[in-house]
Amino acid sequence: MLLHNQVAIVTGAGSGIGEAGAAIMAREGAHVVIVDRNGGRADVVVRRIRQAGGSAESLAIDVTDDRAMKEGLLSVMARHGRIDILHNHAGVQVAGDVEQVDVAGFDLSWSVNVRAHFMAARHVVPVMRNAGRGVILNTSSSSGILYDREMIAYTTTKHAVVAMTRQMAGDLAPHGIRVNALCPGWVDTPFNDPFIAQMGGRSAIEAYVATKVPLGRWAEVSEIAEPILFLVSDRSSYMTGQVLVVDGGETVV
């Protein structure tokens, strides 16, 4: 098993890509902490992982609550004595251009998509530094390297995640901590509902994806889980400060 006896924390793991990534880590031997603001969803994911023979626990936390995040992450360390992997995946998508976007939505985007990643890393880095090793994976998006029509809050924050990842990687490499970013493209999850509504419904977004993505389709969450496993395991042991784009070829056209 690639992650035997390791402890992994995944934020936003109550559904979609976060759940798929947590499940594949558990399959490979990690004990996975499912962090989600919806405790019921987190518990469902834990049950699914355990039914599949894996090990998991849930933490019902809003990642923008600094105190709760700090206490929750420190409690993981207290229970297990280690934190090997942090996958900062929690995110929010708010539509609108510079004139249309709700200012509160822009602020929320920054708090969830960037600041929460920073704060979680801030809490786990001392643990990883003391161990002389660790992996931090930050979820950005293909929107973190592309223009995304009328999505200024989302694209701004996702570009920021890429910059923050590179900065963290340079600072933390001497301590044996690797930091990389994952940039998924179009993945068929409920996370895309705001953009689907903006585009005019499911049929419109299907046509858009078919036009924009050379492979002509959405990704399934399983197709993102495998790159996640690569990035958090020793398969990528000499890789840090990098951005892995998994987008069906969208960024090459």
Side-chain angles (χ1 to χ4, degrees):
M1 290 186 174
L2 292 172
L3 305 176
H4 182 60
N5 285 338
Q6 294 191 34
V7 174
I9 296 169
V10 184
T11 69
S15 63
I17 294 172
E19 177 180 359
I24 202 168
M25 290 185 216
R27 186 196 76 188
E28 291 298 324
H31 174 79
V32 186
V33 181
I34 307 299
V35 179
D36 200 279
R37 66 179 180 176
N38 186 320
R41 285 195 316 208
D43 289 340
V44 168
V45 173
V46 168
R47 285 197 296 273
R48 288 173 180 163
I49 288 173
R50 290 176 177 172
Q51 287 168 359
S55 177
E57 65 184 270
S58 63
L59 277 179
I61 295 176
D62 182 335
V63 295
T64 64
D65 184 334
D66 289 349
R67 181 175 178 179
M69 276 296 289
K70 181 177 181 179
E71 291 176 352
L73 296 181
L74 291 180
S75 74
V76 172
M77 176 60 187
R79 285 193 298 278
H80 302 287
R82 60 192 298 169
I83 297 173
D84 301 281
I85 297 164
L86 169 66
H87 181 190
N88 282 312
H89 178 70
V92 64
Q93 193 178 90
V94 177
D97 65 17
V98 67
E99 294 179 290
Q100 299 166 344
V101 70
D102 181 67
V103 174
F106 189 97
D107 291 342
L108 176 64
S109 297
W110 186 265
S111 294
V112 177
N113 296 349
V114 184
R115 190 178 185 279
H117 288 17
F118 162 76
M119 291 301 295
R122 187 180 180 95
H123 297 316
V124 304
V125 162
V127 178
M128 293 179 174
R129 187 176 60 241
N130 288 340
R133 66 181 308 276
V135 176
I136 297 172
L137 175 60
N138 296 319
T139 296
S140 177
S141 167
S142 58
S143 299
I145 58 174
L146 288 173
Y147 160 73
D148 198 347
R149 189 181 76 184
E150 297 178 358
M151 295 290 286
I152 190 168
Y154 191 65
T155 56
T156 297
T157 57
K158 292 304 185 177
H159 275 73
V161 169
V162 169
M164 182 172 66
T165 295
R166 289 173 170 155
Q167 183 67 32
M168 284 184 183
D171 291 342
L172 298 175
H175 304 292
I177 303 170
R178 297 190 300 108
V179 189
N180 291 295
L182 176 70
C183 288
W186 290 99
V187 186
D188 195 4
T189 74
F191 184 75
N192 291 301
D193 286 349
F195 194 69
I196 291 173
Q198 181 180 329
M199 290 293 292
R202 181 80 184 192
S203 60
I205 200 67
E206 294 283 1
Y208 179 84
V209 170
T211 300
K212 293 293 185 181
V213 178
L215 286 181
R217 62 174 178 83
W218 305 81
E220 299 295 329
V221 291
S222 61
E223 295 176 292
I224 309 302
E226 290 289 347
I228 289 171
L229 178 61
F230 169 73
L231 290 169
V232 302
S233 72
D234 283 344
R235 286 178 174 173
S236 58
S237 59
Y238 197 59
M239 183 176 174
T240 195
Q242 301 304 307
V243 177
L244 183 59
V245 181
V246 188
D247 68 348
E250 183 181 10
T251 54
V252 302
V253 298

